[in-house]
Amino acid sequence: MDFLFGGSALNAGNHAVALVLPKAYGFVILAAVASSFLLVWMSMQVGKARKLFNVQYPTMYSPTNDKFNCYQRAHQNTLEGYPTFLLVLLIGGLEMPVLSALAGLVWIAGKVSYAQGYFTGDPKNRLRGSYGYLGLLTLLVATLKFAIRLAVQ
């Protein structure tokens, strides 16, 4: 019955948990760190655009300057998807660390292309970074593979 309702681990008596990471998991961590540099870079681009287009804080989006809004939207969209990216990167990396790290780099590169396209001021150009979804999909598959393997053990 515990299998169905999830018996508490606290009733097991031993509260220590051992976590064994795959040897190549360091590559996954490096991809996660690289993604934080992406966010810093995007944040800096929005800051530069604020000065260039004279959009003062705390204004999030300009009512009159769509080019600034493209900078802000590229950053905001990346932040909106970032928790999902980190979740599937870090969990999928437990199953397939090298592939997950590479997929993480594809996602990052896709976001750079996405942002650079959006920064042109033509929102259609953001589609240049669509290939980043291949990285995200790969991470989702790795995460599902890990979850299924754990569930059927």
PDB file of all heavy atoms in Angstrom, residues 101-116:
ATOM      1  N   ALA A 101      24.180  17.923 -20.905  1.00  0.00           N
ATOM      2  CA  ALA A 101      25.031  19.116 -20.923  1.00  0.00           C
ATOM      3  C   ALA A 101      25.072  19.714 -22.331  1.00  0.00           C
ATOM      4  O   ALA A 101      24.957  20.934 -22.503  1.00  0.00           O
ATOM      5  CB  ALA A 101      26.437  18.780 -20.432  1.00  0.00           C
ATOM      6  N   LEU A 102      25.214  18.857 -23.327  1.00  0.00           N
ATOM      7  CA  LEU A 102      25.219  19.345 -24.713  1.00  0.00           C
ATOM      8  C   LEU A 102      23.871  19.961 -25.083  1.00  0.00           C
ATOM      9  O   LEU A 102      23.816  21.016 -25.733  1.00  0.00           O
ATOM     10  CB  LEU A 102      25.568  18.212 -25.674  1.00  0.00           C
ATOM     11  CG  LEU A 102      27.014  17.718 -25.608  1.00  0.00           C
ATOM     12  CD1 LEU A 102      27.193  16.457 -26.454  1.00  0.00           C
ATOM     13  CD2 LEU A 102      27.986  18.808 -26.023  1.00  0.00           C
ATOM     14  N   ALA A 103      22.793  19.334 -24.660  1.00  0.00           N
ATOM     15  CA  ALA A 103      21.455  19.878 -24.925  1.00  0.00           C
ATOM     16  C   ALA A 103      21.277  21.218 -24.220  1.00  0.00           C
ATOM     17  O   ALA A 103      20.652  22.134 -24.765  1.00  0.00           O
ATOM     18  CB  ALA A 103      20.387  18.887 -24.472  1.00  0.00           C
ATOM     19  N   GLY A 104      21.839  21.339 -23.029  1.00  0.00           N
ATOM     20  CA  GLY A 104      21.799  22.614 -22.320  1.00  0.00           C
ATOM     21  C   GLY A 104      22.519  23.706 -23.089  1.00  0.00           C
ATOM     22  O   GLY A 104      22.051  24.846 -23.173  1.00  0.00           O
ATOM     23  N   LEU A 105      23.650  23.370 -23.688  1.00  0.00           N
ATOM     24  CA  LEU A 105      24.385  24.347 -24.492  1.00  0.00           C
ATOM     25  C   LEU A 105      23.614  24.731 -25.753  1.00  0.00           C
ATOM     26  O   LEU A 105      23.659  25.893 -26.180  1.00  0.00           O
ATOM     27  CB  LEU A 105      25.769  23.806 -24.845  1.00  0.00           C
ATOM     28  CG  LEU A 105      26.723  23.616 -23.659  1.00  0.00           C
ATOM     29  CD1 LEU A 105      28.045  23.027 -24.136  1.00  0.00           C
ATOM     30  CD2 LEU A 105      26.936  24.911 -22.892  1.00  0.00           C
ATOM     31  N   VAL A 106      22.888  23.780 -26.321  1.00  0.00           N
ATOM     32  CA  VAL A 106      22.046  24.092 -27.478  1.00  0.00           C
ATOM     33  C   VAL A 106      20.949  25.068 -27.069  1.00  0.00           C
ATOM     34  O   VAL A 106      20.654  26.037 -27.778  1.00  0.00           O
ATOM     35  CB  VAL A 106      21.448  22.802 -28.097  1.00  0.00           C
ATOM     36  CG1 VAL A 106      20.362  23.123 -29.123  1.00  0.00           C
ATOM     37  CG2 VAL A 106      22.554  21.958 -28.729  1.00  0.00           C
ATOM     38  N   TRP A 107      20.335  24.849 -25.903  1.00  0.00           N
ATOM     39  CA  TRP A 107      19.297  25.756 -25.406  1.00  0.00           C
ATOM     40  C   TRP A 107      19.869  27.158 -25.208  1.00  0.00           C
ATOM     41  O   TRP A 107      19.259  28.155 -25.607  1.00  0.00           O
ATOM     42  CB  TRP A 107      18.697  25.223 -24.104  1.00  0.00           C
ATOM     43  CG  TRP A 107      17.590  26.078 -23.568  1.00  0.00           C
ATOM     44  CD1 TRP A 107      16.271  26.040 -23.926  1.00  0.00           C
ATOM     45  CD2 TRP A 107      17.696  27.112 -22.576  1.00  0.00           C
ATOM     46  NE1 TRP A 107      15.556  26.989 -23.216  1.00  0.00           N
ATOM     47  CE2 TRP A 107      16.404  27.649 -22.378  1.00  0.00           C
ATOM     48  CE3 TRP A 107      18.755  27.625 -21.834  1.00  0.00           C
ATOM     49  CZ2 TRP A 107      16.151  28.675 -21.478  1.00  0.00           C
ATOM     50  CZ3 TRP A 107      18.505  28.657 -20.934  1.00  0.00           C
ATOM     51  CH2 TRP A 107      17.206  29.173 -20.763  1.00  0.00           C
ATOM     52  N   ILE A 108      21.062  27.234 -24.606  1.00  0.00           N
ATOM     53  CA  ILE A 108      21.701  28.527 -24.360  1.00  0.00           C
ATOM     54  C   ILE A 108      21.982  29.237 -25.692  1.00  0.00           C
ATOM     55  O   ILE A 108      21.663  30.423 -25.862  1.00  0.00           O
ATOM     56  CB  ILE A 108      22.994  28.350 -23.546  1.00  0.00           C
ATOM     57  CG1 ILE A 108      22.661  27.887 -22.126  1.00  0.00           C
ATOM     58  CG2 ILE A 108      23.811  29.647 -23.522  1.00  0.00           C
ATOM     59  CD1 ILE A 108      23.865  27.390 -21.336  1.00  0.00           C
ATOM     60  N   ALA A 109      22.578  28.524 -26.631  1.00  0.00           N
ATOM     61  CA  ALA A 109      22.881  29.118 -27.945  1.00  0.00           C
ATOM     62  C   ALA A 109      21.587  29.577 -28.629  1.00  0.00           C
ATOM     63  O   ALA A 109      21.550  30.653 -29.250  1.00  0.00           O
ATOM     64  CB  ALA A 109      23.629  28.120 -28.821  1.00  0.00           C
ATOM     65  N   GLY A 110      20.540  28.774 -28.501  1.00  0.00           N
ATOM     66  CA  GLY A 110      19.245  29.150 -29.071  1.00  0.00           C
ATOM     67  C   GLY A 110      18.712  30.429 -28.459  1.00  0.00           C
ATOM     68  O   GLY A 110      18.159  31.283 -29.160  1.00  0.00           O
ATOM     69  N   LYS A 111      18.904  30.597 -27.163  1.00  0.00           N
ATOM     70  CA  LYS A 111      18.439  31.814 -26.496  1.00  0.00           C
ATOM     71  C   LYS A 111      19.254  33.030 -26.908  1.00  0.00           C
ATOM     72  O   LYS A 111      18.724  34.139 -27.002  1.00  0.00           O
ATOM     73  CB  LYS A 111      18.460  31.642 -24.968  1.00  0.00           C
ATOM     74  CG  LYS A 111      17.294  30.834 -24.444  1.00  0.00           C
ATOM     75  CD  LYS A 111      15.992  31.539 -24.777  1.00  0.00           C
ATOM     76  CE  LYS A 111      14.784  30.803 -24.301  1.00  0.00           C
ATOM     77  NZ  LYS A 111      13.537  31.517 -24.618  1.00  0.00           N
ATOM     78  N   VAL A 112      20.551  32.850 -27.173  1.00  0.00           N
ATOM     79  CA  VAL A 112      21.367  33.958 -27.678  1.00  0.00           C
ATOM     80  C   VAL A 112      20.855  34.372 -29.057  1.00  0.00           C
ATOM     81  O   VAL A 112      20.648  35.566 -29.327  1.00  0.00           O
ATOM     82  CB  VAL A 112      22.865  33.586 -27.718  1.00  0.00           C
ATOM     83  CG1 VAL A 112      23.670  34.633 -28.467  1.00  0.00           C
ATOM     84  CG2 VAL A 112      23.411  33.403 -26.297  1.00  0.00           C
ATOM     85  N   SER A 113      20.629  33.393 -29.934  1.00  0.00           N
ATOM     86  CA  SER A 113      20.110  33.694 -31.278  1.00  0.00           C
ATOM     87  C   SER A 113      18.732  34.336 -31.195  1.00  0.00           C
ATOM     88  O   SER A 113      18.419  35.272 -31.942  1.00  0.00           O
ATOM     89  CB  SER A 113      20.033  32.418 -32.114  1.00  0.00           C
ATOM     90  OG  SER A 113      21.303  31.865 -32.307  1.00  0.00           O
ATOM     91  N   TYR A 114      17.898  33.827 -30.302  1.00  0.00           N
ATOM     92  CA  TYR A 114      16.562  34.361 -30.075  1.00  0.00           C
ATOM     93  C   TYR A 114      16.645  35.836 -29.688  1.00  0.00           C
ATOM     94  O   TYR A 114      15.971  36.695 -30.265  1.00  0.00           O
ATOM     95  CB  TYR A 114      15.887  33.535 -28.972  1.00  0.00           C
ATOM     96  CG  TYR A 114      14.611  34.094 -28.408  1.00  0.00           C
ATOM     97  CD1 TYR A 114      13.390  33.831 -29.024  1.00  0.00           C
ATOM     98  CD2 TYR A 114      14.612  34.852 -27.249  1.00  0.00           C
ATOM     99  CE1 TYR A 114      12.205  34.325 -28.490  1.00  0.00           C
ATOM    100  CE2 TYR A 114      13.439  35.352 -26.709  1.00  0.00           C
ATOM    101  CZ  TYR A 114      12.242  35.088 -27.331  1.00  0.00           C
ATOM    102  OH  TYR A 114      11.078  35.577 -26.809  1.00  0.00           O
ATOM    103  N   ALA A 115      17.501  36.121 -28.710  1.00  0.00           N
ATOM    104  CA  ALA A 115      17.623  37.488 -28.217  1.00  0.00           C
ATOM    105  C   ALA A 115      18.181  38.416 -29.299  1.00  0.00           C
ATOM    106  O   ALA A 115      17.656  39.518 -29.512  1.00  0.00           O
ATOM    107  CB  ALA A 115      18.521  37.522 -26.977  1.00  0.00           C
ATOM    108  N   GLN A 116      19.225  37.974 -29.970  1.00  0.00           N
ATOM    109  CA  GLN A 116      19.807  38.825 -31.012  1.00  0.00           C
ATOM    110  C   GLN A 116      18.809  39.113 -32.127  1.00  0.00           C
ATOM    111  O   GLN A 116      18.780  40.215 -32.671  1.00  0.00           O
ATOM    112  CB  GLN A 116      21.091  38.207 -31.556  1.00  0.00           C
ATOM    113  CG  GLN A 116      22.220  38.275 -30.542  1.00  0.00           C
ATOM    114  CD  GLN A 116      23.487  37.602 -31.026  1.00  0.00           C
ATOM    115  OE1 GLN A 116      23.453  36.634 -31.794  1.00  0.00           O
ATOM    116  NE2 GLN A 116      24.614  38.104 -30.564  1.00  0.00           N
TER     117      GLN A 116
END
